Amino acid sequence: MEKTIPGIIVGRLPIYLQALQHLHQQQVQTTSSQELGQIIGISAAQIRKDLSQFGEFGKQGKGYSVPYLIDQLQAILHVDRVWDMVLVGAGNLGHAIAEYPEFVHHGFRISMIFDNDPKRIGTKMGDFVVQDMEKLVPLVQQAGIKVAMLTVPARAAQAVTDDLVSAGIRAILNYAPIILSVPEGIQVQYIDPIIFLQRMTYYLD
Amino acid sequence: MEKTIPGIIVGRLPIYLQALQHLHQQQVQTTSSQELGQIIGISAAQIRKDLSQFGEFGKQGKGYSVPYLIDQLQAILHVDRVWDMVLVGAGNLGHAIAEYPEFVHHGFRISMIFDNDPKRIGTKMGDFVVQDMEKLVPLVQQAGIKVAMLTVPARAAQAVTDDLVSAGIRAILNYAPIILSVPEGIQVQYIDPIIFLQRMTYYLD
């Protein structure tokens, strides 16, 4: 079943999950597609249609149970477990990400950090010692890590990606402003502030 | 006309622009929806349909002129000019963003940086001196800045947002992992690594 759901719908599920967790923190037990839609800025009809692709999560006229829908979405997104991650690039952005406190509550945990700069290798970053890029392939392979975050300069990103793929990484969150080429079956997501800024300036004059 | 285009389509235009600029850097003069689709991972039909909302940019069977389509998309997205931006939050993430070299080539320029930490106020960050949050409203208002990037902790984000809105900011790129409440007409985009990671783990087992 999972194979047939359009990526655009899958892409909205983490946003629904985030809004539900926001409600849960505020002790809200029951919600509706209308309320979720207002928080997120998506129509209630779209939310109902998206969720219906995965099953029946609410009762007609009764809305959704917040904790139940959180559990269901976490299972669908495979974040009802904790994924170990490798972070490559120990600059300012890498530091900021390593300090990000929210990962572990949402299914992720950084477990190794690499850089190729001799000045950074061996230094502490949060709870980790920055390791030499040269050791990435064997260490990541041995640990069986599947998820990577890439915060290296654009010029280095493709070579690091090739190493990550050969180490068995299957999902890469890329902060470098460059389109990566990866074999089929490897997931890549891009975080580029320019994309998000341009989505807003469209509406400004 | 702009008002009627669905946000989901507008959201893809910066991705098309990025792919076109990538081709342009490689001296490619002409492209097709097929080629663009392969780079981005979106169907050629979807790209043609999206672009057709804004006009006729290619000739049947001849494809698109890369520089022409870049110009057109830049005009549609209002990045055929340079937008001044204010950055609030001078921590590691703020530093990384202030050093990001790509803004100016894509329609943006940081022109002020603020923080409320006395240890940071007055220090240099790139070409800027970090200014006191207390002065944000008058300074941003005076400069007529419309775009902001928010890299403060989640607990501070809503109060800063209220200040930004009262200073005349109309578009906020929010890195804090919290949903912001803003008046109608103010654009907000969220950059939260968890959303992107969860979009990939859906496909992992």
Side-chain angles (χ1 to χ4, degrees):
Chain A
M1 171 179 140
E2 296 192 0
K3 295 266 152 53
T4 67
I5 310 253
I8 198 90
I9 294 177
V10 173
R12 284 193 286 262
L13 299 184
I15 299 171
Y16 300 158
L17 178 56
Q18 186 185 52
L20 287 160
Q21 286 166 329
H22 177 72
L23 289 171
H24 192 58
Q25 275 174 6
Q26 300 179 320
Q27 325 288 340
V28 178
Q29 290 300 313
T30 311
T31 188
S32 61
S33 51
Q34 283 76 13
E35 186 177 37
L36 282 174
Q38 263 168 11
I39 296 173
I40 305 167
I42 296 181
S43 79
Q46 182 73 66
I47 294 173
R48 285 195 302 271
K49 201 173 143 196
D50 286 354
L51 291 177
S52 73
Q53 303 269 335
F54 298 92
E56 273 295 333
F57 300 119
K59 290 210 182 88
Q60 192 75 39
K62 286 219 165 187
Y64 301 106
S65 154
V66 171
Y68 177 74
L69 191 49
I70 287 175
D71 282 352
Q72 294 297 307
L73 287 176
Q74 284 178 331
I76 291 166
L77 292 167
H78 303 143
V79 290
D80 49 356
R81 71 205 77 174
V82 176
W83 293 87
D84 283 305
M85 296 190 291
V86 56
L87 172 63
V88 188
N92 279 323
L93 183 57
H95 264 90
I97 290 170
E99 286 171 3
Y100 188 63
E102 296 296 319
F103 287 127
V104 75
H105 307 298
H106 296 90
F108 301 95
R109 165 175 64 205
I110 294 174
S111 60
M112 292 181 188
I113 300 177
F114 292 91
D115 202 294
N116 69 351
D117 181 342
K119 287 197 292 291
R120 290 179 183 156
I121 295 165
T123 61
K124 287 267 278 183
M125 204 166 119
D127 295 336
F128 300 93
V129 174
V130 177
Q131 303 194 72
D132 188 344
M133 262 302 292
E134 295 288 323
K135 297 184 192 147
L136 183 146
V137 176
L139 288 177
V140 169
Q141 213 157 28
Q142 201 169 32
I145 298 173
K146 298 298 171 205
V147 180
M149 288 188 292
L150 202 52
T151 58
V152 300
R155 64 181 182 283
Q158 185 61 52
V160 174
T161 297
D162 297 344
D163 280 356
L164 289 169
V165 169
S166 70
I169 290 290
R170 294 182 52 211
I172 300 171
L173 180 54
N174 178 32
Y175 282 83
I178 186 174
I179 297 174
L180 299 176
S181 133
V182 293
E184 206 165 337
I186 307 290
Q187 303 292 318
V188 182
Q189 289 272 327
Y190 296 87
I191 290 196
D192 180 349
I194 287 161
I195 301 285
F196 294 87
L197 290 166
Q198 291 180 344
R199 281 177 186 157
M200 298 191 287
T201 51
Y202 172 82
Y203 297 99
L204 303 188
D205 40 51
Chain B
M1 171 181 142
E2 296 192 357
K3 294 268 151 53
T4 66
I5 310 255
I8 198 88
I9 295 177
V10 173
R12 285 193 285 263
L13 299 185
I15 299 171
Y16 301 159
L17 179 56
Q18 186 185 53
L20 287 160
Q21 285 167 329
H22 177 73
L23 289 170
H24 191 58
Q25 273 174 6
Q26 301 181 320
Q27 325 288 339
V28 176
Q29 291 299 314
T30 310
T31 188
S32 61
S33 51
Q34 283 77 15
E35 185 177 38
L36 282 174
Q38 265 168 9
I39 295 173
I40 305 167
I42 294 180
S43 79
Q46 182 73 66
I47 294 173
R48 285 195 301 273
K49 201 172 143 199
D50 286 353
L51 292 177
S52 74
Q53 303 270 335
F54 299 92
E56 273 294 334
F57 301 119
K59 290 211 182 88
Q60 192 76 38
K62 286 218 163 186
Y64 300 106
S65 156
V66 171
Y68 176 73
L69 192 48
I70 288 175
D71 282 351
Q72 295 296 309
L73 287 176
Q74 284 177 332
I76 291 167
L77 292 168
H78 303 145
V79 290
D80 49 357
R81 70 205 78 173
V82 176
W83 294 86
D84 283 305
M85 294 191 293
V86 55
L87 173 63
V88 188
N92 279 324
L93 184 57
H95 263 90
I97 291 170
E99 286 171 3
Y100 188 64
E102 297 296 320
F103 286 127
V104 75
H105 308 297
H106 296 90
F108 301 95
R109 165 174 66 206
I110 293 174
S111 61
M112 292 181 189
I113 300 177
F114 291 92
D115 202 293
N116 69 352
D117 181 342
K119 287 197 292 290
R120 289 178 184 157
I121 295 165
T123 62
K124 286 268 278 184
M125 205 165 118
D127 295 336
F128 300 94
V129 174
V130 178
Q131 303 194 71
D132 188 343
M133 262 302 292
E134 296 287 324
K135 297 185 192 144
L136 183 144
V137 176
L139 288 177
V140 168
Q141 212 157 29
Q142 200 168 35
I145 299 173
K146 299 297 172 205
V147 181
M149 289 188 292
L150 202 53
T151 59
V152 300
R155 64 180 181 284
Q158 185 60 55
V160 174
T161 297
D162 296 344
D163 279 355
L164 289 169
V165 169
S166 71
I169 290 291
R170 294 181 52 210
I172 300 172
L173 180 54
N174 178 32
Y175 283 82
I178 186 173
I179 297 174
L180 299 176
S181 134
V182 292
E184 206 165 336
I186 308 291
Q187 303 292 319
V188 182
Q189 290 272 326
Y190 296 88
I191 291 197
D192 180 348
I194 288 162
I195 300 285
F196 294 87
L197 290 167
Q198 291 180 343
R199 282 177 185 158
M200 298 192 287
T201 51
Y202 172 82
Y203 297 99
L204 302 187
D205 40 49

